[in-house]
Amino acid sequence: QTTAPTENVQESGEKEGTGDTDQKSETGEEANAGLSGKTLRVGTMPVTLGVPVQYAYDQGYFEDAGLDVEIVLFATGAPVNEAMAAGEIDVAVSGMASVYALATGMYTYIGDGSITLDGEAIYARPDSDIAKAEGVLPGTKGSADTVKGKSILGPLATTAHFMAIKYVESLGLTANDFTMMSMEYAQAYQAFVMGDGDLLATKPPYTSQLEDEGYVRVCSIADAMGSAMVNANYAQSSLMTERREDLKVFLDCYYRACEELNNDKEMRKEYSMKWYADNGIEFSDADMEDEMETKIYPTFETLDSEEYPFGLTMVSIGEFFTEQGMIEKDDLPNIEASMDDSLVKELKEEHGV
């Protein structure tokens, strides 16, 4: 068992809804050829990007393929990076923070993750001077004068942090012109509604709660980026030679789950809301409907395509963070060098795509 700080650890022999801990299906026995027989420890989060991992696990896809998977859950991406660095997990299915891990040159980016079209946003209080000023980008609010020197609540090295920097830059400011007060999403939300900070950079379900409570959206992730954001699946580089088939089978099961979640909205809604609730995250029906409109999953048809070039988000964010001095210039080439689409290409071919 990994010693990384977790909310939950599950192994494939203990999947929910079955008492069968020993037997493998015929398919699984046949699929064992080429697999290492070792447990693949996968770190992720109980949010949109982690749903396909847990769904594939609960459906028995890993076990049927002969792959023993242990899921380790974390609150945000930073501790996922720490667990990878400590060798406590083998694969990370994570978000924006992955770019810092990739910049070390220690890992291999093996596949794209969930896709954020919109949904995450920055909010101001309705009586704030920021909310009363029209922004530079269409649909945004605030000005250089009203935002300069202000504080924004949200976790560092996340989409929230990136969005905050892009927002102030749209106003002609820099990262030095505001203070990012580092707090996890739930803590930041509570602090903001209690009166702390000037702005809150957050994600669902807090976005819909804030709008219901009358707070004003000043910028969305779509406004800030101008394009979709694609999350990351990356692995310890040694596994690409030592356990390549394990990674390939993992991705095959993962993308099968992605396609099913995309295609069956009612199932996705019910499954996701239950998993979130099991991990202490309460989503209303409206929250979940909003998530399904703004966040989708990759499929073999969209992977490594003209619309979603392989690993583009991580490379682009890496360049941006390097400009901000948040990644060393000498480390930037490591991000592009970490990209290996060979497993995805093989799977696409095998699936006739």
Side-chain angles (χ1 to χ4, degrees), residues 21-53:
T21 59
D22 299 315
Q23 295 185 358
K24 296 187 186 293
S25 69
E26 243 177 72
T27 305
E29 292 293 350
E30 292 169 0
N32 269 322
L35 295 178
S36 70
K38 298 177 181 177
T39 298
L40 189 72
R41 302 163 301 173
V42 180
T44 191
M45 295 168 268
V47 295
T48 312
L49 61 84
V51 171
V53 181

Side-chain angles (χ1 to χ4, degrees), residues 1-2 8-22 24 37-42 53-54 56-60 62-63 67-73:
Q1 297 283 332
T2 178
N8 185 34
V9 178
Q10 286 184 305
E11 295 187 55
S12 60
E14 302 169 345
K15 67 177 184 288
E16 293 180 3
T18 178
D20 183 358
T21 59
D22 299 315
K24 296 187 186 293
K38 298 177 181 177
T39 298
L40 189 72
R41 302 163 301 173
V42 180
V53 181
Q54 188 69 48
Y57 171 91
D58 286 340
Q59 293 298 112
F62 299 129
E63 187 175 7
L67 183 66
D68 183 42
V69 168
E70 177 186 285
I71 299 174
V72 188
L73 297 182

Side-chain angles (χ1 to χ4, degrees), residues 165-228:
I165 295 172
K166 294 290 281 186
Y167 168 61
V168 301
E169 284 195 339
S170 76
L171 303 173
L173 302 174
T174 71
N176 295 324
D177 291 320
F178 78 101
T179 301
M180 191 75 186
M181 297 179 64
S182 181
M183 299 181 187
E184 300 302 341
Y185 287 105
Q187 180 189 10
Y189 169 78
Q190 291 296 335
F192 186 67
V193 298
M194 293 297 291
D196 291 343
D198 300 297
L199 295 165
L200 172 66
T202 192
K203 63 180 183 178
Y206 308 110
T207 48
S208 57
Q209 293 170 20
L210 287 161
E211 293 192 13
D212 289 345
E213 294 160 5
Y215 291 91
V216 178
R217 177 183 292 213
V218 301
C219 183
S220 72
I221 186 65
D223 297 328
M225 288 195 66
S227 63

Side-chain angles (χ1 to χ4, degrees), residues 141-297:
K141 294 186 178 297
S143 65
D145 289 340
T146 59
V147 172
K148 188 172 184 178
K150 296 296 197 295
S151 60
I152 304 179
L153 308 186
L156 295 177
T158 62
T159 310
H161 193 187
F162 175 73
M163 183 168 51
I165 295 172
K166 294 290 281 186
Y167 168 61
V168 301
E169 284 195 339
S170 76
L171 303 173
L173 302 174
T174 71
N176 295 324
D177 291 320
F178 78 101
T179 301
M180 191 75 186
M181 297 179 64
S182 181
M183 299 181 187
E184 300 302 341
Y185 287 105
Q187 180 189 10
Y189 169 78
Q190 291 296 335
F192 186 67
V193 298
M194 293 297 291
D196 291 343
D198 300 297
L199 295 165
L200 172 66
T202 192
K203 63 180 183 178
Y206 308 110
T207 48
S208 57
Q209 293 170 20
L210 287 161
E211 293 192 13
D212 289 345
E213 294 160 5
Y215 291 91
V216 178
R217 177 183 292 213
V218 301
C219 183
S220 72
I221 186 65
D223 297 328
M225 288 195 66
S227 63
M229 188 195 79
V230 182
N231 289 308
N233 297 334
Y234 70 97
Q236 302 285 355
S237 288
S238 60
L239 269 66
M240 284 298 289
T241 53
E242 297 170 6
R243 299 174 61 185
R244 193 175 190 280
E245 192 66 20
D246 290 9
L247 295 179
K248 184 176 176 181
V249 169
F250 169 77
L251 286 178
D252 197 20
C253 296
Y254 170 84
Y255 289 124
R256 175 184 175 185
C258 285
E259 184 153 6
E260 292 180 11
L261 290 161
N262 273 348
N263 291 342
D264 191 337
K265 301 296 185 186
E266 282 304 311
M267 178 274 290
R268 176 182 170 183
K269 178 179 178 180
E270 181 179 348
Y271 181 85
S272 299
M273 289 179 70
K274 180 182 184 303
W275 188 49
Y276 297 161
D278 289 345
N279 286 279
I281 303 169
E282 295 298 332
F283 261 52
S284 67
D285 286 347
D287 293 333
M288 194 63 222
E289 292 290 342
D290 181 61
E291 176 171 298
M292 292 192 296
E293 286 182 11
T294 59
K295 298 186 179 184
I296 60 175
Y297 295 109

Side-chain angles (χ1 to χ4, degrees), residues 299-349:
T299 64
F300 289 119
E301 284 72 23
T302 63
L303 282 167
D304 208 7
S305 64
E306 186 175 338
E307 185 177 8
Y308 296 106
F310 189 85
L312 178 63
T313 294
M314 291 297 122
V315 173
S316 300
I317 291 171
E319 292 170 350
F320 177 75
F321 281 171
T322 301
E323 292 171 4
Q324 298 296 320
M326 298 165 69
I327 289 176
E328 293 293 328
K329 187 175 181 180
D330 290 346
D331 292 337
L332 179 60
N334 291 333
I335 300 174
E336 191 155 4
S338 75
M339 302 293 157
D340 188 335
D341 64 355
S342 61
L343 294 174
V344 164
K345 285 187 179 300
E346 288 174 22
L347 288 169
K348 283 171 69 84
E349 184 176 352

